[in-house]
Amino acid sequence: QAQLVESGGGSVLPGGSLRLSCHFSSYTDRKFNMAWFRQAPGKEREGVASIEMNDYIHPYANVVKGRFTVSRGNTKNTLYLQMNNLKPEDTGMYYCAASGYEGTISHRSPRPLWTIWGQGTQVTVSS
């Protein structure tokens, strides 16, 4: 059974950094599209960053551009999110998602295209 597990969340001061990890255990050797989403308390889930199965990285969400970097690990379905210069508004639950969709897909695509989700890891930015 396919499973996504996120890790690396925590509490940091404004201006600090965190690196989130997502490990995807799939039932196949194929590569998947992968993405990071986040959800702040009382707000809708929003897309942050995504990388397609051909390793194309889509433009980041404007609110994180220049501060966050998405990358794949050495194993094809491991995903990272390096978050620098964190701000209090970055606080929320961060989710990893995967999709086998073979067309163009990004964190801005309709949510149902992202078919596999992790349980999330909490990020809190506060002084």
Side-chain angles (χ1 to χ4, degrees):
Q1 185 174 354
Q3 185 177 14
L4 280 169
V5 178
E6 304 97 333
S7 61
S11 295
V12 295
L13 295 172
S17 298
L18 284 173
R19 188 191 195 205
L20 305 184
S21 299
C22 171
H23 297 282
F24 181 28
S25 301
S26 71
Y27 44 83
T28 172
D29 287 336
R30 66 173 295 189
K31 215 169 181 179
F32 282 74
N33 308 296
M34 299 184 76
W36 287 101
F37 294 81
R38 70 183 186 184
Q39 188 166 16
K43 293 189 176 181
E44 292 188 356
R45 194 170 297 189
E46 63 175 351
V48 172
S50 54
I51 183 168
E52 292 201 58
M53 59 178 73
N54 61 5
D55 291 335
Y56 175 73
I57 296 174
H58 284 271
Y60 295 83
N62 288 336
V63 292
V64 305
K65 197 175 296 183
R67 301 187 297 121
F68 289 13
T69 303
V70 66
S71 62
R72 286 192 189 269
N74 290 331
T75 56
K76 59 183 179 297
N77 289 322
T78 297
L79 189 69
Y80 299 108
L81 186 67
Q82 178 67 44
M83 307 187 295
N84 298 328
N85 190 22
L86 284 160
K87 304 176 180 181
E89 51 264 42
D90 294 318
T91 294
M93 188 69 78
Y94 282 68
Y95 298 91
C96 180
S99 172
Y101 183 68
E102 295 189 352
T104 298
I105 184 173
S106 79
H107 51 282
R108 297 182 177 85
S109 297
R111 205 57 50 78
L113 288 179
W114 295 99
T115 54
I116 305 166
W117 291 83
Q119 294 299 306
T121 185
Q122 178 68 36
V123 171
T124 302
V125 185
S126 174
S127 55

